[in-house]
């Protein structure tokens, strides 16, 4: 059974930092591209950052460039999102995505990130 589980969300003040973790099991992690998405209330889910199977290709949505960093650890079968200089507009539920190909992908349940004073 494939499991994708996010953790690390919470309430943080503007300018603060959080580190999200996504652990996986039941899949061959080294074959999966990994990504973080987010969905704010009333908005569509959007791609935040993605990293390919060997970490050689990384993409960020424009609004988080220079503030967020995505990394992956094959030994731990995990992907991380280090978020710094957080803004209220970063408030959303953050989802981890594991994608093998266009037909096979797995999602976590999400973790809430709230940026507020």
């Amino acid at each position: 059974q494939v499991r994708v589980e996010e953790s690390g969300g919470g309430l943080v003040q503007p300018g603060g930092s959080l580190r999200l973790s996504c652990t996986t099991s039941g899949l061959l992690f080294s074959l999966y591209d990994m990504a973080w998405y987010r969905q704010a209330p009333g908005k569509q889910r959007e791609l935040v950052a993605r990293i390919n199977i060997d970490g050689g290709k990384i993409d960020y949505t424009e609004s988080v460039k220079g503030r967020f960093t995505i990394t992956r650890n094959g030994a731990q079968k995990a992907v991380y999102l280090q978020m710094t200089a957080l803004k209220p507009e970063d408030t959303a539920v953050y989802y981890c995505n594991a994608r093998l190909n266009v037909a096979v992908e797995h999602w976590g349940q999400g973790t809430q990130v709230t940026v507020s004073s």
Side-chain angles (χ1 to χ4, degrees):
Q1 180 180 2
V2 175
R3 298 189 68 176
V4 177
E5 187 170 0
E6 305 93 339
S7 62
L11 173 64
V12 62
Q13 292 186 342
S17 299
L18 279 177
R19 185 180 188 238
L20 304 183
S21 299
C22 170
T23 56
T24 68
S25 62
L27 54 79
L28 194 53
F29 182 79
S30 62
L31 296 183
Y32 282 75
D33 292 330
M34 301 298 296
W36 287 96
Y37 287 74
R38 67 185 178 187
Q39 188 166 19
K43 294 188 176 181
Q44 289 188 332
R45 190 173 297 189
E46 67 168 346
L47 175 66
V48 176
R50 61 186 170 194
I51 184 168
N52 73 337
I53 58 174
D54 64 5
K57 180 172 172 56
I58 294 174
D59 297 299
Y60 297 98
T61 192
E62 192 64 35
S63 63
V64 308
K65 285 181 179 178
R67 300 189 298 122
F68 291 11
T69 303
I70 187 171
T71 56
R72 63 187 292 158
N73 185 313
Q76 297 179 342
K77 300 182 180 180
V79 63
Y80 307 95
L81 188 67
Q82 179 69 47
M83 306 187 293
T84 64
L86 282 161
K87 305 175 182 180
E89 51 263 45
D90 294 317
T91 294
V93 178
Y94 284 70
Y95 297 91
C96 181
N97 173 270
R99 188 181 192 207
L100 180 64
N101 53 47
V102 294
V104 178
E105 63 178 352
H106 307 283
W107 292 90
Q109 297 279 29
T111 185
Q112 176 70 47
V113 172
T114 302
V115 185
S116 175
S117 54

